[in-house]
Amino acid sequence: MAAPEIHGDCDPRFAHVRDALSRNFTEHGEIGSAVAIYEDGALVVDIWAGYMDGARTKPWQTDTMCIMYSIAKSICATSVHILADRGQVDLEAPVADYWPEFAQNGKEDVLVRHIVSHNCGVCFADAAEAGDVYDYDRMIAALEVQTPAWPAGSKGAYNTVNIGYLAGEIVRRVTGTPIHEFVHENICAPLGADYKIGVRPEDLDRVADLQPNPAGSAMAAQAAAGESPLARAWRPTPKPMNTDVQNSRQFRTSGIPSFGGFGEARAMARIYAMLAGGGTIDGVRILSPEAVARATVTQWTEAADGMTGRPMRYAMGYAKNPPGATVMGPNENAFGHMGSGGARALADPDRNLSLCFVSNLHSEGFAVGVRTEAIVDAAFARL
């Protein structure tokens, strides 16, 4: 495939990123994607190329929105940290202090920090039915009666479906505000970041269509594999959970808090630039430096986490480099989140650098893939 025109601006110091984006199209079958990087609070890379659709008839635009999947989990966790920073939530308190109905079937000792750290044990929703992710209240009811898979804090397991609802309900019980509205009012609007958990109807025409990867999806394959943990965790998702469903109006507008966030790459890069800068960017403070430091301390490391069986390391809501990998860049203090489609957001606080990569061609791995890793590697090549 011929190299596409790369649109936008790229600081010459980050030319490797522009080159990597071009090679993703010529060598790896990319359809449409965007990259944004902040350094020291300044937007130094803001580039995009390709098409919003598989037929390649709608060019990717400066304001194209793309699904970022599970990066939404980190934004829901950030919302809890905002409340903790304000003194409205105690991370060491039982969840039931804020959500009394949660204290059923052995969940009395689950703490707020267990929820955001992916080690609460409440990673299944066995009372839910297919499609219940569209119905927030049905998901909350299922989580209230769920029995933990193991004692809270004893084991890390990527909470693929539930964490957004669990964190979201803590936010709703404390503030009275649904999580998608809290994110908009307390993170995105103050930062001027075009990211939404649940797309507004007037923005639907800006959303890129997700395309299946010819190489397949490792996560989807495991989720469909009989009695695997992922298959059990995905019980509340629509069936089949394919790209047609994920491109539907219902999926885009429902505001699924665990993986239903859409936005521009520069929007998420800006949110993570705030985190990389200790909670502040351009004079707008979202979190205190102390809150960011507390939120990004590693909580667990597993050679085989309880959901995917893959190596993972997690802080309070943010992934860190797992053993032997540099998915968040070369710095051990870096943190961020991955999306199963291949989206990546990260912050390197030591370099005051943030990055977001989005694509509408699904990744071939567990939220990792050759195109995403090429962008992350290129971002740090000069460093």
Side-chain angles (χ1 to χ4, degrees):
M1 181 182 295
E5 181 178 358
I6 306 295
H7 302 274
D9 299 308
C10 181
D11 187 304
R13 296 173 303 137
F14 289 89
H16 290 301
V17 177
R18 185 184 184 96
D19 293 343
L21 183 65
S22 181
R23 287 194 301 273
N24 277 350
F25 285 87
T26 59
E27 299 176 12
H28 303 301
E30 183 66 279
I31 296 173
S33 60
V35 186
I37 297 174
Y38 273 80
E39 185 180 44
D40 294 328
L43 183 61
V44 293
V45 176
D46 182 16
I47 56 177
W48 61 93
Y51 296 89
M52 297 171 60
D53 61 328
R56 294 175 169 82
T57 61
K58 297 173 60 178
W60 196 285
Q61 304 291 332
T62 181
D63 65 347
T64 292
M65 303 177 76
C66 189
I67 187 168
M68 299 187 194
Y69 283 110
S70 291
I71 292 173
K73 294 174 170 64
S74 69
I75 303 305
C76 291
T78 300
S79 299
V80 174
H81 289 300
I82 289 171
L83 295 181
D85 203 21
R86 295 173 182 173
Q88 294 176 266
V89 167
D90 182 353
L91 295 171
E92 298 297 330
V95 173
D97 283 4
Y98 309 102
W99 176 6
E101 297 88 346
F102 186 75
Q104 300 181 50
N105 298 329
K107 300 194 296 296
E108 299 84 355
D109 296 328
V110 177
L111 307 181
V112 175
R113 65 175 172 84
H114 293 142
I115 294 292
V116 293
S117 301
H118 292 256
N119 63 350
C120 65
V122 190
C123 45
F124 305 113
D126 295 326
E129 300 293 338
D132 278 355
V133 291
Y134 293 139
D135 190 320
Y136 182 90
D137 290 335
R138 286 182 64 87
M139 284 297 297
I140 296 306
L143 293 171
E144 287 175 348
V145 300
Q146 182 66 37
T147 300
W150 42 76
S154 66
K155 184 176 183 179
Y158 180 60
N159 204 340
T160 175
V161 172
N162 294 349
I163 186 174
Y165 298 92
L166 294 167
E169 190 62 5
I170 293 170
V171 169
R172 186 172 76 156
R173 294 294 177 122
V174 171
T175 67
T177 304
I179 185 64
H180 68 281
E181 292 181 13
F182 187 92
V183 166
H184 175 73
E185 294 169 3
N186 294 273
I187 301 175
C188 297
L191 294 178
D194 189 7
Y195 172 82
K196 298 171 179 67
I197 296 180
V199 179
R200 297 178 304 186
E202 60 267 30
D203 291 325
L204 285 169
D205 288 344
R206 295 199 287 131
V207 180
D209 290 333
L210 183 69
Q211 305 299 317
N213 194 312
S217 165
M219 182 169 282
Q222 184 169 330
E227 299 302 317
S228 72
L230 268 179
R232 182 181 172 189
W234 281 23
R235 178 180 173 86
T237 64
K239 303 296 185 291
M241 186 63 162
N242 57 26
T243 51
D244 289 339
V245 167
Q246 294 161 59
N247 287 331
S248 70
R249 180 187 180 95
Q250 183 178 22
F251 187 93
R252 290 173 172 173
T253 60
S254 289
I256 300 168
S258 297
F259 48 81
F262 296 74
E264 302 167 353
R266 73 178 67 87
M268 189 55 62
R270 184 167 178 80
I271 293 171
Y272 268 82
M274 173 272 295
L275 294 169
T280 301
I281 186 171
D282 291 337
V284 178
R285 186 176 77 84
I286 304 298
L287 287 165
S288 68
E290 295 79 13
V292 175
R294 177 178 59 208
T296 55
V297 172
T298 299
Q299 300 298 302
W300 57 269
T301 302
E302 298 278 0
D305 95 295
M307 182 61 66
T308 69
R310 296 176 64 84
M312 285 194 182
R313 176 179 289 128
Y314 258 86
M316 288 192 200
Y318 311 101
K320 305 190 84 171
N321 280 329
T326 56
V327 295
M328 299 301 164
N331 182 7
E332 281 298 302
N333 293 326
F335 59 90
H337 218 283
M338 299 178 284
S340 68
R344 183 77 47 82
L346 64 86
D348 184 332
D350 295 349
R351 295 185 173 94
N352 197 2
L353 182 146
S354 71
L355 173 149
C356 181
F357 168 75
V358 296
S359 167
N360 63 344
L361 175 62
H362 207 285
S363 63
E364 64 273 15
F366 281 94
V368 298
V370 62
R371 291 168 291 120
T372 308
E373 311 322 316
I375 295 296
V376 173
D377 291 346
F380 292 94
R382 73 177 181 86
L383 303 174

